[in-house]
Amino acid sequence: MRKNIVAGNWKMNTTVPEGVELAKAVVAKSTEVPADVKLIIATPYTHLCPVAEVVKGSAVSLSAENCADKEKGAYTGEVAANMLVSAGCEYTILGHSERRQYYGETDAKLVEKTRLALANGLKVILCVGENLEEREAGKHFDVCKTQTESVLYQFTAEDMKNIVIAYEPVWAIGTGKTATAEQAEEIHAFIRKVVADKFGAGVADDMTILYGGSCKPSNAKELFAQPDIDGGLIGGAALKADDFIQIALSF
Ligand code: PGA
């Protein structure tokens, strides 16, 4: 049985004190959320250690938003997977479209990042999704297939237990334009099939696939009601504890 997950992606928002307050508010309200919904917050690197203290002993897990494609050494400004683990992370997001778009993240780099994350005991939230131009050209299935295969097919069925996929259509991120539940569901079902083609139906059935892109309390219920949508990766709405928890109560 796959897990339902609601993960907050804070991106480059909040100072450390503000982030600690937000985490405290999420932890305080997390008791309202049924135990079968996993809550994750992904914070900037600077916030990880203090937020790890806040979430300790609660139902909220900590994630980074990225990690290095190198193990250690002379890579100024990078943060390695084992450092994230030592800071208290259980997860890292990888391949977010903002990293692909603004920081030259390629599928090849994502294979290395995923390899290092898994080798160090982190679980990975791998983001895939097409941009507006690709959607309008009818290439959304191809783009999601390529991004999913390029990374996942380098790993084993056993590794899949530690990977979550987030389908985030780039045109829906931070724009207020949500994919309709039908648009999201057809891609989720398709991605699950891409996983099944390589690893079998059992592995695909167990894979959590999140939707991301302007997911908010007002649309989460309809999205999460779809058979292949197992929760959300939440940007803007994760910056308000009430909204984030409301989304987690939408299953
Ligand atoms: P959004 O961001 O909810 O603000 O659209 C989602 C994401 O990029 O993870």
Side-chain angles (χ1 to χ4, degrees), residues 64-87:
E65 299 176 7
N66 182 27
C67 88
D69 61 342
K70 303 285 193 299
E71 199 164 352
K72 64 173 182 173
Y75 301 102
T76 303
E78 289 295 314
V79 177
N82 69 341
M83 297 175 188
L84 298 179
V85 173
S86 71

Side-chain angles (χ1 to χ4, degrees), residues 74-244:
Y75 301 102
T76 303
E78 289 295 314
V79 177
N82 69 341
M83 297 175 188
L84 298 179
V85 173
S86 71
C89 286
E90 193 183 326
Y91 290 83
T92 185
I93 297 173
L94 290 178
H96 191 280
S97 61
E98 288 148 15
R99 304 261 359 133
R100 294 179 190 259
Q101 189 180 348
Y102 307 131
Y103 300 97
E105 199 115 302
T106 59
D107 287 332
K109 264 192 196 165
L110 288 171
V111 171
E112 276 314 291
K113 290 184 177 205
T114 302
R115 191 178 64 73
L116 287 163
L118 294 177
N120 283 281
L122 284 172
K123 299 187 182 90
V124 170
I125 303 170
L126 177 72
C127 302
V128 303
E130 80 285 356
N131 62 31
L132 185 60
E133 202 181 306
E134 291 160 341
R135 160 77 50 175
E136 285 175 345
K139 292 186 184 150
H140 39 298
F141 290 101
D142 284 349
V143 169
C144 292
K145 180 175 160 71
T146 302
Q147 290 178 350
T148 304
E149 285 182 357
S150 303
V151 179
L152 291 197
Y153 282 19
Q154 310 304 315
F155 296 92
T156 65
E158 192 60 25
D159 291 329
M160 294 307 116
K161 291 182 185 154
N162 294 313
I163 297 179
V164 171
I165 299 174
Y167 167 59
E168 299 205 306
V170 179
W171 48 272
I173 294 177
T175 58
K177 246 193 210 174
T178 320
T180 64
E182 295 71 31
Q183 281 173 323
E185 170 59 22
E186 70 173 357
I187 297 278
H188 279 240
F190 174 75
I191 292 171
R192 201 177 299 288
K193 163 107 179 25
V194 172
V195 175
D197 285 345
K198 167 87 174 169
F199 301 105
V203 170
D205 276 349
D206 287 346
M207 170 74 72
T208 296
I209 307 181
L210 308 178
Y211 169 78
S214 300
C215 183
K216 43 190 182 262
S218 59
N219 59 27
K221 227 182 183 72
E222 197 191 348
L223 287 159
F224 298 174
Q226 302 301 314
D228 289 289
I229 301 182
D230 311 312
L233 181 56
I234 318 299
L239 296 172
K240 290 199 186 114
D242 282 341
D243 286 359
F244 182 62

Side-chain angles (χ1 to χ4, degrees), residues 10 17-33 39 41 51 54-55 58 60 237-246:
W10 292 4
E18 287 165 354
V20 166
E21 285 314 303
L22 176 55
K24 283 183 182 163
V26 170
V27 166
K29 289 174 191 300
S30 64
T31 51
E32 297 168 23
V33 177
L39 292 173
I41 51 181
V51 170
V54 174
V55 302
S58 80
V60 181
L239 296 172
K240 290 199 186 114
D242 282 341
D243 286 359
F244 182 62
I245 295 299
Q246 205 52 49

Side-chain angles (χ1 to χ4, degrees), residues 9-23:
N9 174 13
W10 292 4
K11 307 191 180 185
M12 198 172 73
N13 291 299
T14 73
T15 61
V16 174
E18 287 165 354
V20 166
E21 285 314 303
L22 176 55

